[in-house]
Amino acid sequence: MIEMTGEPSSVRDGLRRAMHSPPLVALAQEDRSTAEIVLAEILNNIAEHAYSAGEGPIRLWLGWAEGRLSCRIEDEGLPMPGGSPPVGRPPRPEDLAEGGFGWHLIRSLAADLAYERARGVNRLCFTLPAEQSVG
Amino acid sequence: MPLKASMQGTTLVIRALDDRIDAAGAIQFKEQMRDLTATPSARVILDLSNVQFLDSSGLGAVVAVMKLLAPQRKLELAGLTPTVEKVFRLTRMDTVFTIHAGVDQGLRQVG
């Protein structure tokens, strides 16, 4: 389990620790890159939105089995608005939006996304493709 | 977020020296780019060849810099590494930037 605090520099540090630990450290480059994008977007969303009123803990669990990475992320911040993760419709490129890409990236890359809120804890689970690197 | 600027003829080339442009560094990146691009130039190329990782906040900052330069100048990009290229491709923002394989290729091409 990797713990961090819901603010950008702690998220950067927690993500760095995750990328350099099993199972992520052993993944093929392409899958490792996908995992870094998805985890960064989810963790930074928690820092920005769930903890918009103040910092709190984020806990990350990662497991690997049969070509999939299983991820579970918990925080104790505000619940997802409407009780479910955003649909993530991407901004049109020509509009030159400076935000709104995060959930589009997450939904483009992650599968089996499940969110629940219980006893003040947000729990987000999902899987990612994850082949282990050869050699 | 260290950035290094140099004039190559009439083109301002700015090289990102950090290996990531993320939520923790995006605002600083944008502010430094604004300061560095105050130098007049015909073109601006941002060299991202050191940048191994860019998240949606980093992408937003690059878009913001593009808008700061408009309409007089365009922000051109060079040297996208695989993860950075993936973020641009998945968001289709690769369709709104001129992207060069490297700075040298960008300088050879007429903006």
Side-chain angles (χ1 to χ4, degrees):
Chain A
M1 196 254 287
I2 291 176
E3 271 189 291
M4 61 201 94
T5 304
E7 58 84 27
S9 63
S10 177
V11 162
R12 178 196 271 181
D13 180 66
L15 183 59
R16 190 180 51 77
R17 280 182 280 137
M19 294 305 294
H20 290 92
S21 315
L24 293 180
V25 72
L27 296 188
Q29 194 48 52
E30 171 75 15
D31 293 337
R32 202 164 170 269
S33 153
T34 295
E36 186 166 19
I37 293 170
V38 172
L39 291 172
E41 295 304 332
I42 291 174
L43 297 170
N44 281 312
N45 269 326
I46 292 170
E48 187 181 352
H49 299 292
Y51 287 127
S52 57
E55 286 168 24
I58 303 176
R59 292 176 291 273
L60 165 66
W61 290 264
L62 299 166
W64 184 88
E66 294 167 16
R68 300 296 297 176
L69 186 74
S70 306
C71 310
R72 184 168 104 230
I73 300 176
E74 292 183 0
D75 68 76
E76 296 165 17
L78 302 171
M80 293 266 189
S84 59
V87 178
R89 213 152 58 93
R92 297 186 310 168
E94 59 272 26
D95 291 344
L96 300 180
E98 293 172 33
F101 298 109
W103 274 100
H104 171 65
L105 288 168
I106 296 162
R107 290 199 179 269
S108 300
L109 298 168
D112 309 315
L113 199 69
Y115 168 74
E116 62 174 15
R117 168 90 180 179
R119 292 182 291 279
V121 174
N122 295 310
R123 177 179 299 147
L124 191 69
C125 297
F126 55 94
T127 71
L128 293 167
E131 296 300 332
Q132 294 201 285
S133 91
V134 283
Chain B
M1 174 56 58
L3 299 170
K4 188 167 180 283
S6 64
M7 284 300 292
Q8 311 271 339
T10 58
T11 300
L12 177 64
V13 176
I14 300 175
R15 185 175 171 84
L17 302 177
D18 262 357
D19 68 349
R20 53 204 301 123
I21 305 176
D22 61 11
I27 291 170
Q28 214 189 350
F29 166 81
K30 185 174 147 184
E31 285 172 356
Q32 286 191 34
M33 282 296 289
R34 187 181 52 212
D35 294 346
L36 291 171
T37 56
T39 305
S41 68
R43 299 168 62 195
V44 180
I45 299 179
L46 175 62
D47 179 2
L48 292 171
S49 56
N50 277 339
V51 179
Q52 302 301 317
F53 183 75
L54 170 128
D55 63 13
S56 65
S57 301
L59 175 66
V62 173
V63 172
V65 173
M66 183 200 222
K67 287 154 76 175
L68 286 172
L69 296 178
Q72 289 84 5
R73 293 180 292 179
K74 271 174 59 184
L75 181 64
E76 302 172 45
L77 307 177
L80 273 57
T81 60
T83 305
V84 175
E85 190 275 334
K86 192 188 294 185
V87 169
F88 273 87
R89 179 166 40 82
L90 287 169
T91 56
R92 297 198 295 127
M93 293 309 285
D94 55 348
T95 61
V96 298
F97 286 91
T98 301
I99 299 176
H100 307 287
V103 170
D104 291 347
Q105 287 91 332
L107 289 170
R108 275 200 295 274
Q109 205 166 308
V110 178

